[in-house]
Amino acid sequence: MSPEDVKQWVDILSTLLAAGGGGGIILAVIGYMRAKMERPPHIAPPSVGNNGLAQIAGMVMGQGDLKDIIDGLRGVSASHDRCTLMRETEMAFRKKEAEEHREHERRLLEERRQHEQRLAEDKHREHRELVEAVQNLTRSAKDMRCAG
């Protein structure tokens, strides 16, 4: 084998190992060999060599893989956007729920203050009435002593 033949096989093998190039290279080589056997003698040999055909086939096959990768990245991006929207919605819901809870506690506190104030006013009124009753009893007792 000449160095050119070795180089050709190394190029073919390296292209086969490249991402997405395996099937395309095999198809390109088979197509090239078939075209070489079927071509009429008056047609000139292709200007692109075996290496070029293998690289073109690898690029064609890799194009589908790149499209799949791009679609996958778009799916991941859309999923991330949905997660972000869900997180924002959940945070807004929790914030609203916390505000409602604070408002409820504020109302309960205000009702408690009003209730305690009413109790204090009732107690103060009862105490005043008791003091007035004791004072009336004391006056009445004085009046009875003075009258007697």
Side-chain angles (χ1 to χ4, degrees), residues 9-27 29 54-55 58:
W9 285 107
V10 168
D11 287 341
I12 290 172
L13 286 176
S14 67
T15 309
L16 280 174
L17 297 175
I25 293 169
I26 292 171
L27 290 175
V29 169
Q55 288 176 355

Side-chain angles (χ1 to χ4, degrees), residues 77-89:
S77 175
S79 174
H80 182 267
D81 291 344
R82 283 191 300 272
C83 288
T84 302
L85 288 174
M86 287 300 295
R87 207 173 314 126
E88 289 174 358
T89 303

Side-chain angles (χ1 to χ4, degrees), residues 18-87:
I25 293 169
I26 292 171
L27 290 175
V29 169
I30 292 172
Y32 175 75
M33 291 169 64
R34 187 172 181 196
K36 189 175 181 184
M37 289 184 344
E38 293 177 355
R39 90 182 141 128
H42 65 277
I43 297 177
S47 60
V48 178
N50 291 339
N51 298 335
L53 288 175
Q55 288 176 355
I56 290 171
M59 287 188 284
V60 169
M61 291 299 291
Q63 189 176 20
D65 293 339
L66 289 176
K67 185 177 180 189
D68 292 342
I69 291 172
I70 290 171
D71 290 342
L73 290 175
R74 285 184 181 143
V76 168
S77 175
S79 174
H80 182 267
D81 291 344
R82 283 191 300 272
C83 288
T84 302
L85 288 174
M86 287 300 295
R87 207 173 314 126

Side-chain angles (χ1 to χ4, degrees), residues 100-115:
E100 289 174 356
H101 183 69
R102 277 191 229 111
E103 183 62 32
H104 179 68
E105 286 184 353
R106 211 175 287 129
R107 279 185 302 212
L108 288 176
L109 184 62
E110 184 61 33
E111 288 175 7
R112 183 176 176 192
R113 285 181 189 154
Q114 290 174 357
H115 180 68

